[in-house]
Amino acid sequence: MCMRRCLVGLTFCTCYLASYLTNKYVLSVLKFTYPTLFQGWQTLIGGLLLHVSWKLGWAEINSSSRSDVLTWLPASVLFVGIIYAGSRALSRLAIPVFFTLHNVAEVIICGHQKCFQKEKTSPAKICSALFLLAAAGCLPFNDSQFDPDGYFWAVIHLFCVGAYKILQKSQKPNALSDIDQQYLNYLFSVVLLAFASHPTGDLLSVLDFPFLYFYRFHGSCCARRSL
């Protein structure tokens, strides 16, 4: 049982890291810096995969009430902020720097639990949060490739992650399952990013992307979504 859990954890970590490496390749090496289209494509495929899995009986998506959907809407807005700001930040920052800043979201969650929910927090968790905050605070002074825009989007990303997890924990039990939440996130993201692609200029600018018909670009996008 222990070996099985280790293998599952190792597989998850490998796929998680591989997905970010693939994202980094598309964003920084191929320089596909059109986040509304890139994230719109990923959420569209993710939503379609969930829908097909539901139809095949591999996943259970419940018919949620309108009130539950409307209650979850702010979280879906934050989800769009997470993927959009994360894409902008990852295109400019090294992966270790991005991960360090991403993990600072746990500090926000810990602070909210301690200050607003008055939950008992273990000293180990408080020390961990302080170390994360200290590590992130030292990064700008020791980053030889410091990019202000990258850090700006990373800060927006981590605040959205923190707020999203707080909202997720505040939901009523049994209101929406994790799959229901993700399905709604995908649907809302596709619609919002599709409408945002024109005002942001991504829809027209992508026509000038030099690797638009390059097999490595299409392969990387498909690999990222399959992970």
Side-chain angles (χ1 to χ4, degrees):
M1 180 63 72
C2 182
M3 181 61 70
R4 183 179 178 181
R5 288 180 179 178
C6 290
L7 287 174
V8 171
L10 182 61
T11 302
F12 172 80
C13 291
T14 302
C15 292
Y16 186 77
L17 181 59
S19 68
Y20 274 95
L21 288 172
T22 308
N23 251 0
K24 184 65 176 173
Y25 174 77
V26 174
L27 293 169
S28 297
V29 178
L30 298 182
K31 297 188 183 302
F32 188 77
T33 52
Y34 311 99
T36 56
L37 299 178
F38 187 46
Q39 296 302 330
W41 156 259
Q42 292 188 6
T43 51
L44 174 63
I45 299 302
L48 288 175
L49 288 175
L50 268 183
H51 190 79
V52 171
S53 299
W54 173 41
K55 291 298 184 181
L56 294 176
W58 297 346
E60 184 178 351
I61 299 177
N62 301 313
S63 298
S64 306
S65 65
R66 182 178 296 181
S67 61
D68 288 338
V69 173
L70 291 176
T71 302
W72 184 250
L73 191 59
S76 292
V77 174
L78 287 170
F79 179 80
V80 176
I82 290 171
I83 60 177
Y84 182 86
S87 181
R88 296 291 296 266
L90 188 60
S91 66
R92 295 174 172 272
L93 300 176
I95 290 180
V97 174
F98 177 81
F99 276 159
T100 302
L101 295 172
H102 171 84
N103 289 335
V104 177
E106 294 300 323
V107 178
I108 298 173
I109 299 167
C110 182
H112 181 268
Q113 291 173 343
K114 183 73 174 175
C115 300
F116 296 98
Q117 296 181 338
K118 305 300 181 182
E119 293 184 8
K120 290 185 178 179
T121 308
S122 66
K125 190 172 183 178
I126 294 175
C127 288
S128 176
L130 291 175
F131 277 123
L132 277 173
L133 194 59
C138 292
L139 273 178
F141 303 102
N142 297 278
D143 187 357
S144 59
Q145 298 177 331
F146 177 74
D147 187 317
D149 287 341
Y151 277 85
F152 170 77
W153 286 109
V155 169
I156 293 177
H157 170 76
L158 71 90
F159 272 106
C160 287
V161 171
Y164 178 86
K165 290 185 177 180
I166 290 170
L167 275 179
Q168 193 175 38
K169 289 182 178 180
S170 67
Q171 289 292 305
K172 295 178 181 178
N174 304 321
L176 290 170
S177 68
D178 291 342
I179 294 179
D180 293 335
Q181 293 172 3
Q182 196 61 38
Y183 189 64
L184 290 174
N185 288 342
Y186 283 149
L187 290 178
F188 184 81
S189 300
V190 170
V191 174
L192 187 60
L193 291 171
F195 278 107
S197 62
H198 187 268
T200 56
D202 290 352
L203 190 60
L204 298 178
S205 299
V206 72
L207 299 175
D208 298 324
F209 180 61
F211 302 110
L212 189 60
Y213 303 104
F214 191 40
Y215 73 94
R216 288 185 181 178
F217 168 65
H218 296 284
S220 298
C221 289
C222 293
R224 169 63 182 95
R225 190 59 265 165
S226 65
L227 291 169

